[in-house]
Amino acid sequence: MRRLELAGWIVVAIVVSGLAIPWFLWGDATLVAGLPLWLWWHIGWMGLTSIVFWLFARRAWGIGIETNSGDSSPEQPPQSTTGGERP
Amino acid sequence: MTLTLQLGIIVGYLILALLIGLVAYRLTDRTAEDFYLASRTLGTIVLLFTTFATLLSAFTFFAGPNIAYAQGPEWVLVMGLMDGIIFAVLWYVIGYKQWLLGRQYDYVTLGEMLGDRFASRRLRGLVAGVSLLWLFPYVMLQQVGAGTALQALTEGAVPYAVGAGLITAFMILYVVVAGMRGIAWTDTLQGAFMLVTTWIALVWVLVAVGGPGSATSALASSEETAHFLSLGSDYYTAQWMLSTAITIGFGVAMFPQVNQRFFAAGSKTVLKRSFALWPILCVLLFVPSFMLGAWARGLDVAIPEGDNVLPAVLAEYTPVWFAALVIAGAMAAMMSSSDSMLLSGSSYFTRDLYRPFVEQSISERREDLLARVGVVLFATASFGASLVNPATLFELGDAAFSGFAQLALPVIVALYWRRTTRAGITAGILVSQAFYLSSLFLATVPSSYAGWTAGLVGMGLGLVVTVAVSLVTTPAADERRAIYFDGLGAD
């Protein structure tokens, strides 16, 4: 379950980064209130990103990094014989 | 009049900074950890603004608007993606993990963290050495910039060498006295000041020219700049925008003075809050600052060849005192980046090169002293270099962000993949550095690959080599493979 959630957040991070530049407006020069539309998109997108980051910080902070939270399923798959400190 | 005012404002700022430094000095313990990291106690606002001011300062005021003036406002997008989003994601991916590890094992530098995990003094020295290779010329460039700016400001009354020397001496005094706590406090003042004055400047200029609509239509009506308003151009290709945003975004996270701030947060909550506020803070500064640069192109502002755009615009549309205030602020900002770099450069040198290789048993008191001596040596050496300003160092400083970016992926692999071996990460760092340096200095290695920069290609190479060599080698017996994974948590 935790793994699925992690994958979900990775996808969110990629989408958030991928659309900060509105590629679908490439070559477009529409002006809205004195500024190019693509700049408005960027401003709105950065605001949205902040909200997404805030949600992440509230709901999922620690995912993929913290390992000592008692109730979550183990992050490490059973075949981890390659890991671990040597005695 | 203007000159007296500008110098008065600069001197006023320096005195204010020194006072803050003295207050910080009274609060410090005499240990290296306190000197370098303020004993890991920074709060949200201070951490946010010290990172912000360290990262952006002089560039946002000068180079950024210059690019927007010459090539169009798309630079806002590149910077927004690189600093506002990519760096913020790394803030979590690299920063939060580093913070946890730093708290648990008392790490102060990146090299220390890697050297401990891979049980390798050489790796620790390599990371510090590579970092100093890029940091030293970058600090030198700041000194060159400050010296040149003072000379221009005083119309030659303060010659270049004297200006650069004065600023270096001030920075040494300040850093040696104040340490991280004082630097972080002045940065906070600095960051807030930059944000407020940029917005005032924007409003002032827009009121004078009749609003954003007419400023933009001035751009649209000239044939030379009509393409500014459509997204993309021959300069802003998709490959170039992505390459630049990715390499600089990753490079920033490996820049010593930024990376070290990952260790300095006071709590998990501080990291969380800063993370969520970061994109907003970036867009709030980038849009006014770079749009002023772009709009200046359509206005009747004469900008002499080689001069910065923003000062010329301010001089044209705002009162003398305000323009002087902003310019003085920008100069101070240049210093506020450099002082952090001096502090981090010194810590890399003393902790990762001097201590492991020269004098292994050293008391806390003595290390604290050594750290301050390191600051003096580093600043003096880079000042010496700035007087000569050799071409090789200039080029290295100019490419520093991409140079640091080469470290990022091997480090991330090590942080998240247990199978990483000492040989793997060492090879990854060596190969990517060698490749990127060759692309800078050897004509046989191209600097662009189908539009993608050598910096980005080198990052990919570092990733592939780290993973491949780790797969074919076995870990050394003394590697501590579990410490990045087991028992990590904040509470």
Side-chain angles (χ1 to χ4, degrees):
Chain A
M1 200 51 219
R2 192 80 173 151
R3 274 187 172 281
L4 204 63
E5 199 188 339
L6 178 62
W9 281 112
I10 291 174
V11 172
V12 169
I14 293 170
V15 171
V16 154
S17 313
L19 286 175
I21 299 175
W23 306 106
F24 53 89
L25 290 176
W26 198 257
D28 184 278
T30 313
L31 290 179
V32 177
L35 290 177
L37 178 61
W38 53 259
L39 189 58
W40 286 116
W41 167 275
H42 179 72
I43 294 169
W45 191 258
M46 297 298 273
L48 184 72
T49 303
S50 256
I51 296 172
V52 170
F53 284 179
W54 177 75
L55 277 176
F56 173 81
R58 271 179 63 106
R59 301 174 56 111
W61 189 270
I63 195 169
I65 293 179
E66 288 175 12
T67 47
N68 66 353
S69 48
D71 55 351
S72 67
S73 55
E75 294 274 302
Q76 202 53 27
Q79 74 272 18
S80 69
T81 45
T82 49
E85 208 174 340
R86 295 277 83 88
Chain B
M1 176 57 201
T2 319
L3 180 64
T4 330
L5 194 65
Q6 281 175 323
L7 285 179
I9 287 171
I10 292 180
V11 171
Y13 170 79
L14 295 184
I15 292 173
L16 181 66
L18 261 187
L19 288 178
I20 293 177
L22 283 175
V23 175
Y25 182 74
R26 290 171 58 94
L27 286 180
T28 50
D29 308 324
R30 302 288 171 269
T31 63
E33 194 181 23
D34 197 73
F35 184 56
Y36 289 137
L37 298 181
S39 297
R40 306 175 206 268
T41 56
L42 299 187
T44 306
I45 298 294
V46 174
L47 182 71
L48 195 62
F49 276 101
T50 185
T51 311
F52 191 57
T54 303
L55 196 67
L56 306 165
S57 52
F59 186 84
T60 318
F61 272 107
F62 292 137
N66 293 353
I67 296 177
Y69 177 85
Q71 306 291 350
E74 285 94 330
W75 186 246
V76 177
L77 304 183
V78 180
M79 289 286 285
L81 173 61
M82 126 199 348
D83 281 328
I85 299 185
I86 294 181
F87 175 70
V89 170
L90 295 176
W91 178 275
Y92 179 75
V93 172
I94 300 179
Y96 181 52
K97 189 144 192 177
Q98 265 190 235
W99 179 75
L100 284 175
L101 288 166
R103 253 180 20 140
Q104 197 154 342
Y105 300 101
D106 294 329
Y107 300 138
V108 171
T109 66
L110 178 68
E112 200 174 343
M113 184 183 86
L114 294 169
D116 192 39
R117 149 74 175 84
F118 291 98
S120 171
R121 211 169 44 149
R122 278 195 210 143
L123 178 64
R124 182 174 179 175
L126 174 70
V127 171
V130 164
S131 301
L132 290 174
L133 170 76
W134 298 107
L135 187 69
F136 182 83
Y138 195 77
V139 171
M140 184 202 81
L141 284 192
Q142 306 300 308
Q143 285 161 320
V144 171
T148 317
L150 261 185
Q151 189 180 20
L153 194 68
T154 59
E155 283 158 1
V158 177
Y160 168 74
V162 176
L166 279 178
I167 283 175
T168 307
F170 173 78
M171 285 195 308
I172 290 176
L173 180 68
Y174 183 71
V175 176
V176 166
V177 169
M180 179 65 149
R181 189 173 283 111
I183 288 178
W185 287 354
T186 37
D187 279 354
T188 306
L189 191 74
Q190 193 70 57
F193 175 81
M194 283 198 299
L195 204 56
V196 172
T197 47
T198 308
W199 275 96
I200 296 176
L202 178 80
V203 171
W204 218 312
V205 171
L206 283 182
V207 167
V209 303
S214 55
T216 305
S217 56
L219 282 179
S221 59
S222 154
E223 195 164 319
E224 213 184 7
T225 55
H227 71 277
F228 270 29
L229 301 173
S230 67
L231 179 58
S233 67
D234 293 345
Y235 180 79
Y236 293 112
T237 64
Q239 290 96 321
W240 184 85
M241 287 168 90
L242 278 177
S243 292
T244 308
I246 294 171
T247 47
I248 300 187
F250 278 79
V252 162
M254 290 291 121
F255 237 106
Q257 77 280 12
V258 174
N259 186 276
Q260 214 160 26
R261 276 168 173 64
F262 292 151
F263 289 126
S267 70
K268 183 155 102 166
T269 313
V270 166
L271 283 168
K272 282 185 186 179
R273 286 195 192 134
S274 315
F275 171 76
L277 287 172
W278 189 257
I280 295 220
L281 192 61
C282 286
V283 85
L284 275 178
L285 185 66
F286 294 163
V287 171
S289 161
F290 303 149
M291 282 314 291
L292 271 178
W295 276 325
R297 185 71 178 267
L299 306 172
D300 286 326
V301 184
I303 299 181
E305 184 71 26
D307 267 21
N308 290 312
V309 172
L310 207 54
V313 174
L314 293 175
E316 182 78 22
Y317 291 100
T318 66
V320 170
W321 64 267
F322 182 76
L325 199 66
V326 175
I327 304 312
M331 293 258 320
M334 212 182 278
M335 278 183 266
S336 85
S337 302
S338 305
D339 57 13
S340 312
M341 289 187 251
L342 283 182
L343 186 66
S344 299
S346 157
S347 72
Y348 276 43
F349 176 76
T350 47
R351 284 189 87 91
D352 298 338
L353 292 172
Y354 183 85
R355 216 174 66 166
F357 292 99
V358 182
E359 188 181 349
Q360 294 202 16
S361 56
I362 183 170
S363 71
E364 285 222 321
R365 232 6 229 255
R366 194 170 140 71
E367 192 187 341
D368 179 52
L369 177 73
L370 195 68
R372 290 166 208 255
V373 173
V375 170
V376 178
L377 289 180
F378 194 94
T380 315
S382 59
F383 169 63
S386 78
L387 294 180
V388 190
N389 198 2
T392 314
L393 279 187
F394 188 86
E395 195 158 347
L396 279 177
D398 219 28
F401 282 99
S402 293
F404 278 112
Q406 309 304 312
L407 283 175
L409 292 180
V411 170
I412 292 177
V413 170
L415 281 175
Y416 286 94
W417 188 43
R418 270 180 213 247
R419 267 297 274 125
T420 317
T421 66
R422 182 195 297 166
I425 185 171
T426 310
I429 291 174
L430 282 175
V431 169
S432 58
Q433 290 291 332
F435 168 80
Y436 186 63
L437 281 169
S438 330
S439 81
L440 284 181
F441 293 108
L442 297 182
T444 46
V445 182
S447 59
S448 172
Y449 300 79
W452 304 93
T453 61
L456 192 69
V457 175
M459 285 173 71
L461 193 63
L463 174 68
V464 170
V465 170
T466 307
V467 172
V469 175
S470 292
L471 283 175
V472 298
T473 51
T474 47
D478 52 353
E479 285 187 31
R480 304 171 67 191
R481 306 182 60 202
I483 63 170
Y484 286 178
F485 301 93
D486 293 349
L488 268 194
D491 305 310

